[in-house]
């Protein structure tokens, strides 16, 4: 246990803000470094793409018509209820307003160094040396901390596929990171690549306005949505030419525009080798409990879990990190933590899956929350959150156009009710 620890939080998005809130509650000294002048990270919509007014990359991936793909009980931050009048699946605008209100309510901005970008983090003499730069003046500073919490997320560096002949294509190509609104695709022939959450959501957004929507993906997910007649499902791309795309099944489509919804890479250029992490575009290892840097356990990576109620998971991780920093519990030995990590990695390898699956919670989500509580003593995330996510997933499989037409009401820690909004403006009981 470190007495009077100094904590560095990198990023003022959800992970940074929740960590700040819980550390503040415990009277722990910390500072948050944020490269922009805003809180909220990727939740803040910006119509621009590329770089901001200070020449820094725009990290937000919000698009104009985005609504959350999980209902609002799973989007709530602990200690700050979502507004009653917020719709069940809020727009980015409504949810971003909620994040701003959270920061104001708990007076978190006084701890944030806005327009200060972290440029390096290194391990020296049992401490973390953090170098950061004033974005406006370019003046550089250096400070020393006992703990580092990294909350910059993993949705800002696009993963771009390498497809033969792409340089010949005369139409436009963007990644979903730079997708903002559908109107530019009106009456055009658009190719969407990828069928993850953003791929399915953007496909539907663009389909409302485009002439033809060609969707290339190899997902084995059994979507039962009935798409419009101008939606054409295709397998992976074989190659581009000047005016279109040939697919691996030999078929061809004329295309005007391409949107790659192919995900993001893990990217932390400010971390050097002394941090003890193996960072690749697809994974960060080795992490205990999906977050603690096993080789240097005073560093924690926040919010790297996949297939989970991410807001709930980030809040639980922030409370776990706070309990650890405060000294409420002690981590296992390095050997024991490595054993836990190796056990998870072995299961993934045995299934022939890529190591990137090491970040997946999926069906293990509720067990994860129970484990965090058992080890750290933090209040347990109620099992009802996992149950709501499961139900929401089933509803997405059934119909991507209608799954947001339901309201989820938590009854207690185990149970919820799902209601459908009728045209008569009344709610009807659907199931629980």
């Amino acid at each position: 246990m470190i007495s009077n620890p100094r904590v560095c939080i990198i990023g003022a998005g959800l992970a940074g803000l929740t960590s700040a809130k819980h550390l503040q509650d415990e009277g722990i000294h910390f500072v948050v470094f944020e490269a922009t002048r805003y809180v909220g990270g990727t939740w803040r919509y910006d119509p621009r793409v590329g770089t901001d007014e200070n020449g820094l990359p725009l990290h937000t991936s919000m698009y104009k018509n985005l609504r959350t793909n999980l209902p609002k009980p799973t989007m709530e931050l602990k200690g700050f209820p979502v507004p009653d009048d917020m719709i069940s699946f809020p727009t980015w605008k409504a949810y971003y307003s909620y994040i701003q209100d959270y920061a104001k309510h708990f007076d978190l901005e006084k701890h944030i160094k806005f327009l200060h970008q972290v440029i390096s983090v290194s391990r020296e003499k049992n401490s973390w040396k953090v170098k950061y730069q004033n974005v406006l003046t370019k003046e550089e500073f250096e400070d020393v901390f006992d703990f580092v919490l990294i909350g910059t997320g993993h949705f800002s560096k696009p993963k771009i596929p390498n497809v033969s002949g792409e340089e010949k294509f005369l139409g436009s190509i963007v990644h979903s990171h730079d997708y903002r609104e559908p109107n530019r695709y009106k009456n055009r022939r658009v190719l969407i690549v990828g069928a993850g959450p953003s791929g399915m959501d953007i496909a539907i957004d663009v389909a409302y306005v485009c002439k033809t929507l060609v969707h290339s993906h190899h997902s084995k997910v059994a979507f039962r949505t009935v798409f419009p007649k101008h939606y054409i499902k295709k397998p992976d791309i074989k190659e581009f030419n000047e005016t279109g795309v040939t697919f691996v099944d030999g078929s061809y489509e004329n295309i005007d525009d391409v949107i790659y919804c192919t995900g993001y890479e893990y990217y932390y250029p400010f971390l050097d080798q002394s941090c003890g992490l193996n960072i690749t575009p697809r994974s960060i290892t080795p992490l205990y409990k999906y977050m603690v840097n096993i080789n240097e356990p005073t560093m924690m990576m926040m919010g790297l879990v996949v297939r989970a109620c991410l807001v709930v998971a980030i809040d639980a991780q922030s409370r776990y990190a706070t309990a650890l920093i405060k000294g409420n519990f002690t981590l296992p030995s390095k050997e024991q933590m490595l054993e836990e990590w190796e056990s998870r990695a072995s299961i993934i390898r045995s299934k022939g899956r890529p190591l990137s699956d090491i970040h997946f919670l999926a069906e293990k989500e509720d067990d994860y929350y129970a484990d965090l509580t058992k080890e750290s003593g933090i209040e347990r995330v109620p099992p009802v959150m996992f149950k709501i996510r499961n139900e929401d997933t089933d509803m997405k499989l059934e119909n991507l156009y209608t799954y947001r037409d339901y309201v989820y009401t938590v009854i207690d820690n185990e149970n919820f009710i799902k209601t459908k909004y009728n045209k008569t403006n009344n709610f009807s009981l659907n199931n629980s």
Side-chain angles (χ1 to χ4, degrees), residues 1-2 11 16 42 45 67 75-76 106 121 128 130 195 205 323 327 333 354 381 397 430-431:
M1 178 179 172
I2 301 171
T42 196
Y45 174 78
R67 289 173 64 190
M75 303 298 293
E76 184 169 289
F106 294 111
V121 178
W128 293 106
V130 177
D205 200 31
S333 67
V381 172
L397 294 177
N430 187 275
N431 74 330

Side-chain angles (χ1 to χ4, degrees), residues 57-99:
L58 280 161
H59 293 297
T60 180
S61 300
M62 280 298 108
Y63 42 96
K64 190 175 183 180
N65 295 333
L66 182 137
R67 289 173 64 190
T68 64
N69 61 7
L70 283 166
K72 71 177 184 178
T74 68
M75 303 298 293
E76 184 169 289
L77 295 166
K78 193 167 180 59
F80 195 68
V82 289
D84 290 339
D85 60 356
M86 182 187 283
I87 62 171
S88 182
F89 290 77
T91 63
W92 70 263
K93 192 170 187 177
Y95 194 69
Y96 182 60
S97 178
Y98 169 72
I99 294 171

Side-chain angles (χ1 to χ4, degrees), residues 260-280:
Y260 284 137
C261 300
T262 45
Y264 295 87
E265 297 182 356
Y266 294 105
Y267 185 62
Y268 299 89
F270 48 85
L271 298 182
D272 70 13
Q273 286 187 330
S274 70
C275 295
L277 288 171
N278 180 28
I279 301 175
T280 76

Side-chain angles (χ1 to χ4, degrees), residues 372-408:
L372 291 184
T373 293
K374 182 178 179 182
E375 183 173 21
S376 69
I378 63 170
E379 186 178 339
R380 193 199 193 295
V381 172
V384 69
M385 294 299 160
F386 175 61
K387 293 177 181 178
I388 289 176
R389 185 175 72 83
N390 275 345
E391 178 68 15
D392 176 67
T393 298
D394 289 343
M395 296 302 291
K396 289 190 186 83
L397 294 177
E398 191 63 40
N399 194 326
L400 287 164
Y401 283 96
T402 62
Y403 79 92
R404 292 187 177 98
D405 294 346
Y406 295 85
V407 174
Y408 293 73

Side-chain angles (χ1 to χ4, degrees), residues 191-207:
L191 171 64
I192 303 279
V193 181
S198 63
M200 301 310 293
D201 212 38
I202 291 173
I204 286 174
D205 200 31
V206 173

Side-chain angles (χ1 to χ4, degrees), residues 284-295:
I284 298 180
T285 59
L287 297 177
Y288 175 68
K289 292 287 186 275
Y290 298 79
M291 61 180 289
V292 178
N293 176 351
I294 293 175
N295 290 318

Side-chain angles (χ1 to χ4, degrees), residues 294 333-345:
I294 293 175
S333 67
K334 179 179 177 179
E335 291 71 27
Q336 289 170 311
M337 290 192 289
L338 275 173
E339 187 178 335
E340 186 255 13
W341 182 86
E342 274 292 348
S343 173
R344 287 195 286 120

Side-chain angles (χ1 to χ4, degrees), residues 15 150-151 153-155 290-291 301-306 310 313-314 317:
I150 298 173
H154 55 107
F155 298 111
Y290 298 79
M291 61 180 289
M301 310 291 291
M302 316 299 289
L304 297 193
V305 292
V306 180
L310 188 57
I314 285 173
Q317 288 184 336

